[in-house]
Amino acid sequence: MKIADVRLILADIPVKRPHKMSFTTLEAVNFAFVRVETADGLVGWGEAACLGGPTWSEESSESVAVTIERYIAPWLIGRDATRIEAVSREMAKRVQGNPFARAAVEMALWDLNGKALGVPVHRLLGGRVRESVPLSWSLAVESPDAEVAEAREKVAQGHRIFKIKTAAHPVAHDVERVRRLREAVGPDVSLRVDANQGWDRATALQAIRALEPFHLDFVEQPVARWDGEGLAEIARAVSVPVMADESCCSTHDALAIARRGGVSILALKLTKSAGILGTMAIARIAEAAGMSCYVGCMIETSLGTAAYLQVALAAAPVTWGCELFGPLLLAGDVVRRPVQYADGVILALDGPGLGVEIDETLLKEWSRAR
Ligand code: MN
């Protein structure tokens, strides 16, 4: 399985409604798609989704494209695509950081291997431990009335888990949003909160304590990614479980979080952790430290969603479900048959490789002229 060709496609897909988070209000997701073809003509695909430029981390779809085209593709051509671990290690030596770029390439290698063997990627990861994954929908709506209406509509469609994006407003406003949402969805629906690093330590403590009456499952990334001590301190001081997202990208981050204690859940994302291998390793560290996991997203199309889903199906420590709702929020997709949802879950994919088929004509419609 000699790699013969590596191509990059930049694309932008609008979201169906503006998505308001602490760090940006998203109007469109920027994508870098990577197409890897072997000498035998087998094609694998990978995707890096970026939230409107380098907002979530330092990487943007443009930086991903340049990194892959200039510093990865030239040496990748001629390499053996079956050697995923070896290629990933060499990639990590040649490219420091840039996990989104490395993840997109690694994803394409998994897709190629699954397709070559005729099995879904989760089979290569040890097989499914679950048939479907509970799905969280993110509420990040500008108007509180529209937000309550959206939650009610989603509950009617079978959604049972919501994540409320906070810290774009003063604490009192967020507390009022959560109060209204709890009132609207009733006591049996799961509510979670994601501050996306938007609070300092004191504000985080004040906010989480004020939110305690609304029975949240967890609070995600209340403080800045660099404030590991603060995260541990807050987690110890409140009764709501605390999840690390932006603070937990690498295996080294996961190990440091485990050592500091306090935090009880890690959010897994293939792109922040440079691919499936790194993500599975973080899940194992979480489990060994008595923590559990959740599969987050960067609002991927069905392609990236399919890749994340392979991990959500195969990683036993993922007991908090996932938020693989990208295809439901995006105004378009790039595959022939999108990932499937039913009754508040995302369904397993059992097709070969990542389990979806790219529609290159559809992809072209969203592509940028370069
Ligand atoms: Mn998050």
Side-chain angles (χ1 to χ4, degrees), residues 56 163 165 194 196 220-221 245-246 269 323:
W56 191 90
K163 195 166 94 173
K165 291 288 192 175
D194 185 0
N196 284 109
E220 182 173 340
Q221 197 66 46
D245 180 10
E246 287 93 330
K269 290 176 181 170
E323 59 184 34

Side-chain angles (χ1 to χ4, degrees), residues 232-303:
E233 194 178 287
I234 289 158
R236 285 205 173 88
V238 297
S239 66
V240 186
V242 168
M243 178 160 85
D245 180 10
E246 287 93 330
S247 287
C248 182
C249 294
S250 65
T251 49
H252 315 291
D253 293 338
L255 193 57
I257 289 167
R259 283 186 170 142
R260 275 185 222 110
V263 170
S264 48
I265 313 169
L266 300 183
L268 308 177
K269 290 176 181 170
L270 267 54
T271 44
K272 70 176 181 179
S273 304
I276 288 177
L277 288 169
T279 306
M280 292 299 281
I282 289 171
R284 297 293 178 217
I285 292 171
E287 186 173 40
M291 295 187 280
S292 48
C293 299
Y294 170 74
V295 171
C297 83
M298 298 301 294
I299 313 185
E300 282 77 9
T301 70
S302 281
L303 172 67

Side-chain angles (χ1 to χ4, degrees), residues 79-257:
R79 291 287 194 288
D80 179 358
T82 66
R83 302 184 61 189
I84 302 176
E85 173 115 18
V87 169
S88 295
R89 280 168 181 269
E90 185 172 352
M91 193 156 52
K93 271 189 200 161
R94 288 169 180 266
V95 173
Q96 295 293 308
N98 294 279
F100 283 55
R102 291 191 281 133
V105 173
E106 198 233 42
M107 235 181 253
L109 298 182
W110 285 99
D111 193 27
L112 278 172
N113 279 275
K115 282 174 173 163
L117 296 167
V119 297
V121 167
H122 62 70
R123 283 274 302 278
L124 306 177
L125 302 175
R128 298 209 295 246
V129 294
R130 50 187 70 88
E131 304 306 306
S132 63
V133 188
L135 180 75
S136 173
W137 176 261
S138 284
L139 292 165
V141 188
E142 181 64 68
S143 140
D145 289 337
E147 187 163 68
V148 167
E150 186 175 292
R152 284 212 171 101
E153 189 192 317
K154 290 287 174 188
V155 167
Q157 292 165 9
H159 283 267
R160 288 290 174 273
I161 310 172
F162 293 95
K163 195 166 94 173
I164 303 143
K165 291 288 192 175
T166 57
H169 303 281
V171 169
H173 180 96
D174 282 337
V175 172
E176 178 59 12
R177 284 172 66 211
V178 174
R179 188 196 66 75
R180 287 192 61 188
L181 287 164
R182 175 53 84 202
E183 191 181 80
V185 300
D188 300 330
V189 167
S190 285
L191 294 183
R192 299 141 178 205
V193 151
D194 185 0
N196 284 109
Q197 323 181 62
W199 293 322
D200 58 25
R201 292 185 188 188
T203 310
L205 276 176
Q206 184 207 346
I208 298 169
R209 286 189 174 134
L211 291 168
E212 274 174 348
F214 307 109
H215 303 105
L216 302 176
D217 287 353
F218 59 71
V219 173
E220 182 173 340
Q221 197 66 46
V223 292
R225 68 170 74 227
W226 48 262
D227 192 12
E229 297 295 337
L231 198 62
E233 194 178 287
I234 289 158
R236 285 205 173 88
V238 297
S239 66
V240 186
V242 168
M243 178 160 85
D245 180 10
E246 287 93 330
S247 287
C248 182
C249 294
S250 65
T251 49
H252 315 291
D253 293 338
L255 193 57
I257 289 167

Side-chain angles (χ1 to χ4, degrees), residues 4 12 38 55 75 90 101 106 118-119 125 131 176 280-281 303 306 330 336-337 339 343 345 355:
D12 307 285
T38 66
T55 57
W75 66 264
E90 185 172 352
E106 198 233 42
V119 297
L125 302 175
E131 304 306 306
E176 178 59 12
M280 292 299 281
L303 172 67
L330 291 168
R336 280 186 225 292
R337 187 171 184 270
V339 291
D343 299 326
V345 302

